Amino acid sequence: MQLDFTPEEEAFRLEVREFIEAEYPQPLRDKMNAGAAPNKQDYVTWQQILHRKGWIAPRWPEQYGGTGWSPTQSYIFDEEISAAQTPRVMPFGLTMLGPVLLSFGSEDQKQQYLPAILDSTTWWCQGYSEPDAGSDLASLKTQAVDKGDHYLVNGSKIWTTYAHYADKMFCLVRTSSEGRKQQGISFVLLDMNDPGVEVAPIITNNGLHTVNQVFLKDVKVPKENLVGEEGAGWTIAKYLLGHERTVIAGVAASKQQMKRLKTIAEQETQQGQPLWQDNRFRDRVAEVSIDLLALEQTNMRVLSDESAGRGPGPEASLLKIRGTEIQQMITELLAEAVGYYGLPYHKEVLLSGWGETEPVGPDYAAPLLPHYFDWRKSSIYGGSNEIQKNIIAKAVLGL
Amino acid sequence: MDYQLNELQQMLQQSAEKYIERDYDFLTRQSRAASDLGYSQQQWQQFAELGWLGLPFNEEDGGFGGGAGEIMVLMEAFGRGLVLEPYLASIVLSGQLFARLGNTEQKADLLPKLIDGSCKLALAHSEPGSRYELERVQSKADSNDASYLLSGQKSVVLNGNDADYYLISARTGGAGDIDAEGISLFLVAADSPGLTVRGYRTADGLQAADLTFEQLEVAESALLGEPGNAFEAIEWCFDQGIAALSAEALGCMEILHQTTVEYLQTRKQFDTPIGKFQVLQHAAVDMFIALSQSRSMVYLAADRADSARDQRRAALSAAKNFIGRAGRLMGQSATQLHGGVGMSDELNVSHYFKRLTTINTWLGDDNHHLAQYSDSLL
């Protein structure tokens, strides 16, 4: 056992840190530090900076643009970009579709789509959930009828993050209603500009527009846009979820938020002294901090097992469960820390920060309560935490 | 970054687990616990033969030079077997503290007997008023020519009714009762005149004692280390104890988890194995999550047990707090999921539950260590 990072790993950390310090554009940095939500251009700007350095797809094979990093290096990289509070790299193309195409896609599909994922010229969105298929994803009804050289797709997808930014969507559709419901599902790619695709915004509890309902009416999807075999969609979806879970623990981002919580609690006052001096408040932070440490150590242990050739199995679901629970606790403590000044609602500040305007209350306060509301989504998306527990119960405990 | 056991640790783990499987089934454990001694001297001798009693001591002292990582794998196996023998009291806590403070002569005199199993120690530090505060010592040691006169009380001394020697802390200086400065440590034979030992069993079937001493005279040579300077070593040895106890707790949790999942798979109600009910599945998953993270914290505790003081203390408090909470969840959930049978004394579940509960109290409970950790954030 050697739980600390090696000198080589620490040198790598420094390299990443220096790169971010040099390349992270100041205006974007200011906006992100103010807690504002990045827009499409912000995401693309940062992703293209990483792409130029060759660091946009750490977990891809090197021949397709990956970095060849060890799991530990990828983890260190995540820690550093989280600590710098850059926009997060949108997962849809890079951590979801990319690995799927690499494992299941045809050579043509790889040639056609991977380069534009790497340089962020195509924005992908994920067409999984439907109004009547959430946790029970396999009961999805969007129908793809075989019309010879194409499928005719009808149905609706919901909770589609940034569908209004997207150029394309990867999508689970039903190509057969025979046999088990998992067997009739296929994985297809469609163009958001195709006739029959309509995007309707859904405003969430923070007042912002991030997710959508997507209506698909007689959309023609050419057969060459089928990924893998017809009927292999469920296998692909499960593969993809496995990829997502270790990333979703979000340890590095939570560590960053804990630092922010301390900074804010040192500035807030209670009974004439910094809130951070208040033992009742700080003890609650301490408990979350210990839970985060336990999660971090578990995440590292999973990475170490992975390096030793014992890849993360379904037990990695626990990283998603605990990761999101801890993230939510931190958003709650952050909102609580600012007291009354958590209450004023300024939508424009959520989008672009205070800028030249005189802030109402401390400049850090406005986004905290909306963020708390918004982050309840984390235990729902990516397979709700209850579904994750079902997975562990079945696949690990044999219940 | 590497979380894998090294070769030595893997070997130790295999031999300890094999020993527990072969020599420490639950019924045998219960009959040993019910004996007068409360454990088996024969097993203790076997520990000596296996080299476990010398594990943490330096090779020049006759030991094997093992560290917290080696003790960890041993204690995890002990947790699985609910081992009764006083390894924590005699070797991990007292033995290591003695070896750290004792001079060459003192060590040459006692360590061989400790390592060959013919002599046992107990650490007498906590007092009725001190709770978990290590700096609060009211017992006094007055210098008297070439001897010291010890007076005071020590509470719930682990393995206190059976030790051949005690390590008794007492104040030779310092400002008042609460001061890290001025605490000295003495080696005191159990049969010393003026020492009263009131022994008893603890809730988990182990044993402890309260000590009272009035004008107990010990020779100057009984002093371990410099006068007034024992605190740092006591604190260090508590941290070694925390790392070891956390590993023992992990072993207990493994068995509880395994036993509970098996029960859910086999117990039928409403014509179906109760493990098919989602509400019970999720409770079992919560146990799995606690168990998995506890392992990580046990590794962290062992890894940080010899770090610089501030880093060490914060990490060990974090570990002890986490293990305390996880152990409570495991014990309570295992009992609940077993239903009525979980309450019975005959089933091992209730005994693992009790051990996890007492482990939380030993060396500072989850609340105490939360406060310690919280203060380290300031």
Side-chain angles (χ1 to χ4, degrees), chain B residues 290-349:
Chain B
L291 170 67
S292 180
Q293 295 188 101
S294 292
R295 175 170 297 284
S296 314
M297 290 305 262
V298 165
Y299 284 11
L300 181 73
D303 188 73
R304 297 287 186 262
D306 265 312
S307 298
R309 181 180 181 268
D310 289 351
Q311 198 196 9
R312 186 191 82 218
R313 295 245 80 194
L316 273 292
S317 281
K320 189 65 167 58
N321 168 271
F322 191 89
I323 294 292
R325 288 187 284 139
R328 181 183 297 126
L329 176 101
M330 298 297 283
Q332 292 177 353
S333 301
T335 305
Q336 179 70 22
L337 294 180
H338 274 83
V341 74
M343 295 299 297
S344 74
D345 182 66
E346 195 183 321
L347 194 73
N348 63 4
V349 168

Side-chain angles (χ1 to χ4, degrees), chain A residues 1-4 6 9 72 262 276 282-283 286-287 289-291 293-295 297-298 300-301 304-305 310 315 318 322 386 389-390 392-393 396-399, chain B residues 1-4 72 257 261 264-265 275-276 278 281-282 284-286 288-289 292-293 295-297 299-300 303-304 318 321-322 325 370 373-375 377-378:
Chain A
M1 280 202 295
Q2 169 53 53
L3 309 198
D4 290 321
T6 62
E9 287 163 348
T72 308
K262 181 180 178 182
W276 194 242
R282 202 183 57 257
D283 284 356
E287 187 160 302
S289 175
I290 291 171
D291 285 346
L293 181 61
L295 179 71
Q297 292 302 314
T298 305
M300 306 259 272
R301 195 160 59 77
S304 168
D305 284 354
R310 295 194 299 275
E315 67 269 28
L318 83 86
R322 287 305 291 147
E386 289 75 17
K389 289 189 180 182
N390 289 352
I392 296 176
V396 182
L397 307 186
L399 295 177
Chain B
M1 189 269 280
D2 173 21
Y3 283 64
Q4 312 302 314
M72 173 185 84
H257 178 254
V261 169
L264 294 178
Q265 285 165 336
K276 292 292 170 202
Q278 200 174 44
Q281 288 179 351
H282 286 197
V285 170
D286 289 340
F288 169 77
I289 292 173
S292 180
Q293 295 188 101
R295 175 170 297 284
S296 314
M297 290 305 262
Y299 284 11
L300 181 73
D303 188 73
R304 297 287 186 262
N321 168 271
F322 191 89
R325 288 187 284 139
L370 180 67
Y373 183 82
S374 180
D375 289 346
L377 298 177
L378 279 169

Side-chain angles (χ1 to χ4, degrees), chain A residues 229-375:
Chain A
E229 306 276 304
E230 192 178 281
W234 190 250
T235 309
I236 297 175
K238 279 204 301 190
Y239 167 85
L240 201 156
L241 277 173
H243 248 260
E244 211 179 344
R245 275 187 224 114
T246 50
V247 183
I248 227 166
V251 168
S254 287
K255 281 169 78 176
Q256 179 54 35
Q257 289 303 302
M258 288 299 281
K259 282 187 199 155
R260 189 154 164 253
L261 176 58
K262 181 180 178 182
T263 309
I264 288 174
E266 282 171 338
Q267 292 172 69
E268 293 291 319
T269 54
Q270 165 147 305
Q271 294 178 323
Q273 57 171 353
L275 177 61
W276 194 242
Q277 300 288 332
D278 180 285
N279 290 345
R280 285 184 205 146
F281 181 79
R282 202 183 57 257
D283 284 356
R284 290 168 56 215
V285 178
E287 187 160 302
V288 178
S289 175
I290 291 171
D291 285 346
L292 178 56
L293 181 61
L295 179 71
E296 179 187 27
Q297 292 302 314
T298 305
N299 201 350
M300 306 259 272
R301 195 160 59 77
V302 167
L303 288 176
S304 168
D305 284 354
E306 204 178 329
S307 297
R310 295 194 299 275
E315 67 269 28
S317 283
L318 83 86
L319 298 175
K320 196 270 174 175
I321 297 170
R322 287 305 291 147
T324 52
E325 286 172 351
I326 288 167
Q327 290 158 28
Q328 291 178 336
M329 273 309 302
I330 299 172
T331 63
E332 201 174 327
L333 287 164
L334 275 164
E336 186 185 318
V338 295
Y340 275 126
Y341 276 118
L343 306 186
Y345 181 75
H346 305 278
K347 187 173 173 183
E348 69 286 359
V349 177
L350 304 184
L351 294 170
S352 46
W354 286 103
E356 301 300 310
T357 318
E358 177 69 19
V360 176
D363 61 358
Y364 49 73
L368 298 177
L369 200 54
H371 190 58
Y372 158 68
F373 293 132
D374 179 51
W375 214 251

